[in-house]
Amino acid sequence: MNYHWNWTFFFDVADDGERYFQWILSGLGWTVTVALCALVIALALGSILGVIRTTPNKWLVGIGDAYVEIFRNIPLIVQLFLWYQVFPEILPKGVGDWVKQDLPDVIPAVFGLGWYTAARIAEQVKSGILSLPRGQTNAGLAMGLTLPQVYRYVLLPMAYRIILPTLTSESMNIFKNSSVTYAVGVLELYFQYKQIIEKTNQVLEITIVVTTIYFILAFSVNRIMAFIENRVRVPGYITSGGK
Amino acid sequence: MSGFDFAVITANWAYLAKGLRYTFQVTAFAMAGGIILGTVLAMMRLSSVKPVSLFAAAYVNLFRSIPLVQVILAFYLIIPIALAIFTGEMKPIGAENSAYFTFTIFEAAYYSEIMRAGIQSIPKGQVGAGYAVGFTYGQVMRFVVLPQAFRNMLPILLTQTIILFQDISLVYAIGATDFFGAADKINQRDLRPVEMYMTVAVVYFVICFSLSRVVRHLQQKIAIIR
């Protein structure tokens, strides 16, 4: 059997009147939207969790540790199904129905992906803070800063710079992981990929194109983070700028 | 919601267990195959022969930048097309079977980065010493570098395996019946999302949490010896 190559099918008109390449573009748009929104959530929540896991308060540490263990040890697709299918069931009926029927699918997907990634970022923020010499906290406190001020002005600015390389790979991961949200109804790039295969059977062409797009996405995120890493570098302190 | 019904879980436990067994099988197969292939890739990557190291770098970077779900679907569809070139006829290989192959190829890229770090963690002098006593490249690798690299990297290799174990759930994309797939299929028949997905989540949590504890313990043990 010979495979029938057809590179022009991207310009063919699909069932809904759009062309196939427009499906890909709209999928790409959703992939970027979902990934960026989830990244914002993950960075915010992950930073809070990472910080509270380094505080002297046992309860806060416990909460942070529990969160990280739970969200790290359950597969992403299972977590998304929990938010999408199980969570509305345990809410009061009225609210649950609203979540199921009126809330756009992309909302639980973005939060699910964000909360999942937050656990990983929390782990990195924690190790970033712990990698700083203990004397820095004490020096800050001795100068009369409050503990929140020590975090804000002394620990976090340095900790973030230290963990930038790992944050880079986490940002690349979130773009890749956003493909899993197709399972809960987000019309992102992987969904369109699957759909175009079902409609046209041109597996090889579309695989080459979509793989290239994902590759370029990962590469762009990598370059943007390297740029940030270079810009915020403290002279003479961290030598491994993202080259 | 009409209360949590344990009967749904017990009634379907055999089916779920079968799915869980499949998940373990793919994990074990892909771990063994992935580490072997990954080690070869790591050695290729560190090779002084340019085309060889370029090939390994391209392989690793390609698989590390595309989403696993896409690879799972693409391989599932493309393997029969590739086989048809040799056999002349299109024969579907089955979702369950293609996953073994896909995960081995995909995870090899990740294991290879770990093994590369492991190999590079061995002081150069040891390699030189190996050559000096008359070892060939193969013998230096076999008797000096790899055993130590492997041991140093064991906790990270196992952590990657826990990730692999969780990633098997993505065979949902091709409809294979792994642990999550089994629960999902029961839910589609009986419409019990709470019981089914909660069971999957709890079982996954218990397994992965315990394994990560074991890995942490191992890490401390190895750290002392080193």
Side-chain angles (χ1 to χ4, degrees), chain B residues 14 43 70-71 88 119 125 128 137 150 175 190 197 224:
Chain B
M43 282 157 57
Q70 199 219 330
V71 181
I119 294 173
Y137 170 79
F150 211 77
D190 297 351
Y197 297 133
I224 294 166

Side-chain angles (χ1 to χ4, degrees), chain B residues 9 11 14 45 57 78-80 99 113 122-123 135 139 162-163 191 211:
Chain B
I9 301 165
R45 182 115 192 232
I78 292 173
I79 293 170
E113 284 295 271
I122 309 300
F135 278 177
Q139 285 171 323
I162 298 176
I163 297 173
L191 298 178
L211 287 177

Side-chain angles (χ1 to χ4, degrees), chain A residues 100-119:
Chain A
K100 262 193 283 189
Q101 285 153 15
D102 297 330
L103 198 68
D105 289 338
V106 70
I107 304 288
V110 163
F111 278 94
L113 182 59
W115 290 333
Y116 170 82
T117 312

Side-chain angles (χ1 to χ4, degrees), chain A residues 75-127:
Chain A
L76 174 59
I77 192 168
V78 178
Q79 290 189 28
L80 289 177
F81 272 72
L82 287 183
W83 297 123
Y84 186 70
Q85 296 226 19
V86 177
F87 184 59
E89 297 287 335
I90 42 182
L91 287 173
K93 200 165 174 351
V95 188
D97 286 347
W98 175 79
V99 170
K100 262 193 283 189
Q101 285 153 15
D102 297 330
L103 198 68
D105 289 338
V106 70
I107 304 288
V110 163
F111 278 94
L113 182 59
W115 290 333
Y116 170 82
T117 312
R120 281 137 210 280
I121 291 183
E123 193 71 355
Q124 294 163 6
V125 171
K126 178 189 159 188
S127 62

Side-chain angles (χ1 to χ4, degrees), chain B residues 124-148:
Chain B
K124 256 197 175 139
Q126 295 198 10
V127 179
Y131 285 129
V133 295
F135 278 177
T136 61
Y137 170 79
Q139 285 171 323
V140 168
M141 278 294 165
R142 162 81 184 74
F143 297 112
V144 181
V145 178
L146 288 183
Q148 298 183 76

